[in-house]
Amino acid sequence: MKRLARASFPVLIAALAAGACSPAGTDTGGSREPGTKEITFLTFETPNLDAAYWDDAIARAEKKVPGLKVKKLVAPSIDRTGYAKQLLASGQFPDLLVSVSPVGFAEAGAMAAWTDQELEPFTFPQSNPIGGKIYQLPYNTQPIPLVYYSKTLFTKAGITAPPKTYQELLDACEKLKAQNIDPFVLGGGGKDAVASSYLWTALVGTDVYKKTPDWMSQRRAGKVSFNDADFKGATDKFVQLAKKGYIDKAALSRDYANTEKAFLAGKGAMYPMGSWFATAGDRSPMKDDIGVFAFPTDDGSPAVPAYTGGGMSVSAKSKHLKEAKEFALAFQQDKATLDAVVKGDGAIIAMKGYTPPTGMGPVYGATVTVYQDAVKNNGIVNSFLVETGDDALLPGLVEKSYALAQDIIAGLKNADQATKALDEDWAKADSK
C-alpha cells in the first residue's frame, strides 16, 4: 500500500508550486502603521462561536505580538478543510487556520510542524501525529457524537431511563415511533453534510474501534477493508435505523442551524451531536429537559468517540512564520478566549492548569460527566471521519463518506454498497 506521506495529494503539491510566489503574509501600505506585519487567519462562525467571539479573541492575541495585524477570513460553510484546499489551489492559503484537518496539507509541505517546546502547555501534546510530527495544536477535546435527548419525549413514550445497550436503544426507538415521535433528529443538508454522518461515526466507534482501536491504521496497512464483517456490520446498523424510519429524511434538507432548532423545538427525541451543542442547550428554554448519554454498545460497555485537536495550524510558506506561531500560541493560551469557547461551544479544554469558568449550565455539566466516566472506564475511542493524524482517512474520503451517509439515510445504498464504495474510493486515493 502507498503511504499518504508521499505524493498522494497532487492537487496540494501543485497548488504549493503555483502559490509559492504569492505567500499569504504581507507588509502592505494598508496596514495600520508603517512596518506592520499582516497575516491572514481562516476562522469559522457558528451560532455558538460568532463573529464577536473571533474579533475579541484576535484583538487580545494581537496585543501579545507587537507589530502584527491579523486579517480574519471566514469559511463559507462547515467544511473548513475543503475551503482551505480551495484557497491553497488559488494561491491564497492563509497564514493561520483553525479546526482544519492537516491531513494532506502537512504531507504536501503546506503546514509547519509544532516543536515539543511549543506543545509543552498542552495536556495531550502528541495527539494526531502525521509522520511523527504535530501540525495542529491539540487544545480542545470533543466527544463526537454524544446523544442528547428530550426527557419529556422519553417520558411520553414510556422510556424511564437512557438506553445502556444497543437493543435498549432500538426498543426506545420503537416506543417513540409508536407515539408518532421521530427518534432521531439529524442534519446534513446543503453545505453542512457532516451532520448526516454522526450516527455512522457513533456506530463505527461502538462496533469497530471499541474492538480494534487501531483499525484505521490497519486499513492503511491493507490488513482490513471497509467491506469486512465488523465495519460492514456497523454500517448495516446505520442502514437499518434509516430503513425502520427512525431517522427523519428531512435531515437531508436541514443545515446545521436548522437541525439544532428542530431538536430544540421538539421535532424529535434524540440528537446525535458533538459536545459543542451543550452550551446551545444550556441557552435554550428546554435546558432542564435535555439529557445526554453515550451511544450504546451491544453489551453496555462505554465507547465514546472523542477527538483532541481543533487548534491552530500555520502555513509553512507564511512570510511571517515566527509571528504567526507566536500569535497562535498566544491565542490558544488566552484565559478569556478559552473561557469564551467553553461558554460558547462547550469545549473540554486540554491545556495544563486550565479550570473552566464557574456557573456552566446543566447540559454542559452532564456532557462532561459522560466524557469523564468514559475516561475512567477506558471507554474513549477514535471518532470516525474526524481523525486527523496517521490514522485518518485518505484525502477526499471524508467528503465522500458524507455523501454515502446521505445516500444511506435516503435509502439509496445498503451496507454492502456503501462499504464497497469506500474501498473503491480508498484504492483510487491511495494510487495517486
Side-chain angles (χ1 to χ4, degrees):
M1 300 291 286
K2 296 178 176 63
R3 291 290 298 167
L4 178 62
R6 295 194 294 108
S8 60
F9 215 174
V11 173
L12 290 189
I13 293 172
L16 279 173
C21 59
S22 54
T26 58
D27 294 293
T28 68
S31 299
R32 291 177 180 173
E33 301 176 4
T36 297
K37 296 175 180 178
E38 183 176 285
I39 62 173
T40 52
F41 177 20
L42 178 61
T43 65
F44 60 93
E45 292 176 3
T46 69
N48 295 349
L49 299 180
D50 58 13
Y53 161 77
W54 293 106
D55 292 342
D56 292 346
I58 289 170
R60 284 192 297 270
E62 272 183 333
K63 292 178 181 178
K64 299 178 182 178
V65 188
L68 188 69
K69 174 69 174 73
V70 178
K71 181 180 179 181
K72 182 182 71 171
L73 308 175
V74 180
S77 76
I78 198 170
D79 183 14
R80 298 180 288 275
T81 301
Y83 184 61
K85 292 177 185 177
Q86 294 176 30
L87 292 176
L88 182 61
S90 63
Q92 302 176 78
F93 197 56
D95 298 273
L96 288 169
L97 311 88
V98 66
S99 294
V100 168
S101 170
V103 173
F105 297 103
E107 294 89 337
M111 288 181 176
W114 295 98
T115 67
D116 289 344
Q117 183 178 359
E118 291 165 338
L119 292 168
E120 196 279 330
F122 299 87
T123 307
F124 307 108
Q126 297 304 313
S127 296
N128 308 300
I130 297 176
K133 296 180 179 180
I134 304 301
Y135 294 88
Q136 184 186 68
L137 293 177
Y139 90 107
N140 175 16
T141 296
Q142 294 178 322
I144 308 172
L146 296 172
V147 183
Y148 295 91
Y149 70 97
S150 166
K151 298 175 186 177
T152 295
L153 293 181
F154 266 36
T155 299
K156 182 178 179 180
I159 305 166
T160 58
K164 294 183 178 180
T165 67
Y166 188 69
Q167 184 57 54
E168 289 178 3
L169 178 70
L170 294 179
D171 293 343
C173 288
E174 197 60 32
K175 290 178 180 179
L176 289 162
K177 284 293 289 184
Q179 294 295 321
N180 294 315
I181 300 169
D182 284 324
F184 288 107
V185 176
L186 291 185
K191 60 186 175 61
D192 295 333
V194 59
S196 62
S197 66
Y198 285 142
L199 280 175
W200 202 4
T201 296
L203 286 160
V204 171
T206 59
D207 288 23
V208 182
Y209 291 171
K210 177 73 173 177
K211 178 180 177 181
T212 312
D214 66 340
W215 192 92
M216 194 62 74
S217 295
Q218 291 192 33
R219 182 65 188 87
R220 282 174 171 260
K223 296 179 180 178
V224 295
S225 72
F226 295 106
N227 199 239
D228 288 350
D230 285 347
F231 197 96
K232 184 159 64 174
T235 304
D236 188 57
K237 284 185 175 181
F238 184 25
V239 170
Q240 296 306 316
L241 289 174
K243 188 175 181 179
K244 292 177 180 178
Y246 297 157
I247 303 170
D248 181 6
K249 288 183 172 56
L252 299 177
S253 62
R254 281 195 294 247
D255 63 12
Y256 175 85
N258 284 315
T259 305
E260 184 176 283
K261 288 178 182 178
F263 174 68
L264 293 174
K267 301 298 184 182
M270 292 180 283
Y271 183 39
M273 183 50 60
S275 54
W276 55 85
F277 168 72
T279 49
D282 279 328
R283 289 195 299 266
S284 74
M286 68 177 287
K287 65 180 181 180
D288 293 319
D289 187 46
I290 299 173
V292 59
F293 61 91
F295 196 91
T297 56
D298 287 338
D299 63 4
S301 60
V304 172
Y307 172 77
T308 298
M312 298 275 207
S313 297
V314 182
S315 168
K317 304 298 182 181
S318 173
K319 187 175 180 179
H320 305 302
L321 179 60
K322 177 178 177 293
E323 290 81 6
K325 279 195 163 189
E326 288 176 359
F327 174 87
L329 290 166
F331 185 102
Q332 301 281 212
Q333 296 179 77
D334 183 82
K335 169 68 172 170
T337 297
L338 294 175
D339 284 353
V341 80
V342 171
K343 293 177 181 178
D345 215 38
I348 301 173
I349 299 299
M351 301 285 293
K352 294 176 182 176
Y354 175 79
T355 55
T358 58
M360 295 298 292
V363 185
Y364 179 80
T367 296
V368 173
T369 296
V370 172
Y371 169 72
Q372 291 177 338
D373 286 348
V375 171
K376 292 176 185 176
N377 292 286
N378 196 31
I380 300 297
V381 298
N382 283 348
S383 190
F384 174 58
L385 301 180
V386 184
E387 308 105 317
T388 60
D390 286 329
D391 56 358
L393 286 170
L394 296 182
L397 265 69
V398 171
E399 294 80 4
K400 290 182 178 180
S401 297
Y402 297 160
L404 288 171
Q406 291 175 322
D407 284 348
I408 288 171
I409 292 172
L412 300 177
K413 279 190 171 59
N414 61 29
D416 190 60
Q417 292 169 326
T419 54
K420 283 182 177 178
L422 270 179
D423 278 327
E424 291 170 0
D425 288 335
W426 183 284
K428 292 174 184 177
D430 199 35
S431 65
K432 295 178 180 179

